[in-house]
Amino acid sequence: MNAIELNIFNSRLEAICDEMGVTLKRSAFSPNIKDRLDFSCAIFDGKGKLCAQAAHVPVHLGSMAYAMEGVIERQEWAEGDMLVMNDPFLGGTHLPDVTVIAPVFIGGELTAFVANRAHHANIGASTPGSMPVSSTLEEEGVLIKPQLLIKAGVNNKQVWNQLAFNTGQGEDDFLGDFQAQVSANQGGVKRLSLLIRELGADTFLSHVVELNSYARRLSRSALSALPDGRYVFEDIMDSDGFGQSEIAICLSMTISEGSISLDFSNTSPQVRGNINCPLSVTAAAAYYVFRCLMPEQMPACAGAFDSIALIAPKGSLVNAEFPAAVAAGNVETSTRLVDVIIGALAKASPEGLPAASQGTMNNIAMGASNSGGKWDYYETIAGGGGASKGRCGLSVVQTHMTNTLNTPIESLEMHYPLLVTQYSVRRESGGLGLWRGGDGVTKRYRFKEPATVTLLTERRVSGPWGNNGGGTAAVGVNLYNEKPVGGKVSFKIVPGDTVEINTPGGGGWGDIHSI
């Protein structure tokens, strides 16, 4: 198989993932999925190894790539099956991210899988929006162990009804987003089956082997450009939301002839609050950073990550054990893990790595049950990107582990009883330097009806660091009725109340005094 044929094969796989994503976007009911695009789609081989993925959400895709093999092995599969799960300790991320998996049978043989993962704003948590300030997994919503949502092409009504009941949703609302996930997979199965039949199953599988071999060579070549050695970096989380601070993520990174070992042995133990990470999320952060160092033509398949090894003690912040609370680990700690890995790499290649980006997703969840019905909403808010050599950081962007979009104000105000009264660039919030860090954003909500609001945010204590002498960016600030509130807090809203989120900027790059 020559290079052109291999590239065409890879592009055809990626196109199937893209088409799955379009189906999910256009058939979903909730703004969180259809507007923010908080979902991801991927293809796996018959053993659960990643073959291809769309350019969706890194924390979804990396965690699926890391853990899908273990999920696949737990199930006896039949043609027409569709499995649903959200267990963070079986390869999930946090409970709102629900994964739906479908097998692809060719000539009666299990040949591949398609899967998608989407964030549901209501998964039955203790507070609306299903992102509570929690101390146990139980508070975070319904735990869905791997089970068949569809069995041999027939809806498993018991599972559908049980999930709808446990999340407290009306059947129509519940079915909408889940059926969108099912439809995306059905389209993926159809398209992938056509491709495999066109090529022949044996040829398809040999092409997958070649694709992984090519990715492995590219990965080794890219990582071999990094100088061998041991590089150490540490960063501190603001808090766990229950009074514990000084929570350290400590990394000792060893680079040796194109192989990478990431040792988190000195990281703090898991905490009471929900900033704990399942190991799959930690892996996703690592995969994301090193994928960014690889050539643009790198296939997004399992072979790309074979040179990366993780060491993370069980029971630590980055390899938490059941029943640890993990809702914010997926969004906040994963983002800080990226900072830590980039910080270590910057010691190996001082001029090749950027400064820290905003280091948080600025999560806001809200909702209520009232005379007009039940509503839940969740979003992340953009901030500043870190500057790099020769380039200022981008302003008002989602950074690193999220790849979601802004929900249009028109959609937000149409669906929910609130107004957005300010949405602007937070000027001068980026760090100074030869190249400035990007600026964050100011977003203010005014509520028209009673509601509950939950904030899960980081970088409210220490700002994103600069690189190569660049300045630290401004920390984020949360305001409730114009008074500061903590980074992780939940409170009741009455009509007329306002909530304002000022997000951090990105760190600067290069000492401005060296000009």
Side-chain angles (χ1 to χ4, degrees), residues 237-459:
M237 302 290 288
D238 288 352
S239 74
D240 73 338
F242 287 87
Q244 184 172 346
S245 57
E246 298 298 311
I247 305 162
I249 301 176
C250 304
L251 171 62
S252 174
M253 180 178 67
T254 301
I255 303 174
S256 178
E257 299 179 348
S259 292
I260 307 291
S261 173
L262 302 174
D263 187 348
F264 293 96
S265 293
N266 292 324
T267 294
S268 294
Q270 67 186 56
V271 294
R272 181 185 175 192
N274 61 18
I275 62 171
N276 303 296
C277 267
L279 187 57
S280 57
V281 171
T282 301
Y287 292 169
Y288 161 77
V289 172
F290 288 101
R291 175 64 183 85
C292 290
L293 297 178
M294 295 175 190
E296 188 175 346
Q297 72 270 26
M298 168 70 72
C301 59
F305 309 115
D306 284 351
S307 299
I308 303 167
L310 293 176
I311 301 170
K314 289 184 178 180
S316 67
L317 186 75
V318 296
N319 187 7
E321 294 187 287
F322 180 87
V326 295
N330 175 61
V331 284
E332 298 304 280
T333 311
S334 71
T335 304
R336 191 64 63 83
L337 278 161
V338 171
D339 287 348
V340 169
I341 297 168
I342 289 176
L345 282 168
K347 294 186 175 183
S349 179
E351 296 197 349
L353 276 297
S357 292
Q358 66 163 333
T360 175
M361 295 191 197
N362 306 294
N363 306 271
I364 179 169
M366 61 185 78
S369 294
N370 51 40
S371 58
K374 187 179 191 316
W375 66 277
D376 292 83
Y377 179 66
Y378 162 77
E379 71 175 350
T380 59
I381 305 176
S388 54
K389 184 178 181 181
R391 186 172 298 177
C392 293
L394 295 176
S395 295
V396 193
V397 290
Q398 300 282 5
T399 58
H400 295 317
M401 294 306 286
T402 180
N403 195 25
T404 54
L405 297 183
N406 161 70
T407 303
I409 292 174
E410 295 84 354
S411 176
L412 190 57
E413 295 182 345
M414 179 178 69
H415 285 91
Y416 307 113
L418 55 82
L419 297 172
V420 177
T421 59
Q422 182 178 352
Y423 200 8
S424 60
V425 178
R426 189 186 178 202
R427 302 292 180 187
E428 310 300 321
S429 55
L432 297 176
L434 284 173
W435 290 275
R436 285 194 59 123
D439 287 329
V441 67
T442 295
K443 190 168 188 178
R444 185 186 302 127
Y445 310 80
R446 188 171 79 236
F447 291 82
K448 298 157 80 172
E449 296 180 8
T452 299
V453 171
T454 302
L455 305 179
L456 292 174
T457 61
E458 274 282 325
R459 290 294 193 199

Side-chain angles (χ1 to χ4, degrees), residues 100-281:
V100 180
I101 305 167
V104 178
F105 281 82
I106 303 295
E109 294 292 324
L110 177 59
T111 307
F113 290 89
V114 298
N116 67 74
R117 179 170 286 173
H119 185 114
H120 292 251
N122 179 6
I123 202 67
S126 58
T127 57
S130 289
M131 289 290 284
V133 182
S134 49
S135 60
T136 67
L137 190 66
E138 184 178 8
E139 296 173 76
E140 297 178 356
V142 177
L143 178 64
I144 308 170
K145 293 289 186 180
Q147 55 191 298
L148 292 180
L149 193 63
I150 300 174
K151 188 172 184 178
V154 179
N155 278 346
N156 189 336
K157 284 290 188 181
Q158 182 179 357
V159 174
W160 284 92
N161 293 339
Q162 183 181 15
L163 291 176
F165 175 78
N166 287 338
T167 57
Q169 300 187 62
E171 186 174 354
D172 290 341
D173 293 338
F174 176 80
L175 291 177
D177 286 343
F178 274 74
Q179 188 58 56
Q181 290 188 259
V182 168
S183 298
N185 275 0
Q186 288 172 335
V189 169
K190 179 180 179 180
R191 294 299 187 195
L192 187 56
S193 297
L194 288 172
L195 174 61
I196 296 172
R197 289 193 176 99
E198 175 189 325
L199 296 173
D202 289 342
T203 300
F204 171 79
L205 294 174
S206 69
H207 284 6
V208 169
V209 170
E210 288 193 53
L211 196 64
N212 278 289
S213 178
Y214 175 60
R216 201 172 291 114
R217 293 195 303 273
L218 278 182
S219 172
R220 279 277 186 175
S221 176
L223 298 180
S224 293
L226 296 170
D228 288 356
R230 177 175 173 268
Y231 307 95
V232 177
F233 195 85
E234 176 181 311
D235 208 341
I236 305 294
M237 302 290 288
D238 288 352
S239 74
D240 73 338
F242 287 87
Q244 184 172 346
S245 57
E246 298 298 311
I247 305 162
I249 301 176
C250 304
L251 171 62
S252 174
M253 180 178 67
T254 301
I255 303 174
S256 178
E257 299 179 348
S259 292
I260 307 291
S261 173
L262 302 174
D263 187 348
F264 293 96
S265 293
N266 292 324
T267 294
S268 294
Q270 67 186 56
V271 294
R272 181 185 175 192
N274 61 18
I275 62 171
N276 303 296
C277 267
L279 187 57
S280 57
V281 171

Side-chain angles (χ1 to χ4, degrees), residues 467-482:
N467 192 13
N468 247 31
T472 299
V475 298
V477 178
N478 304 331
L479 302 175
Y480 171 38
N481 288 337
E482 302 183 5

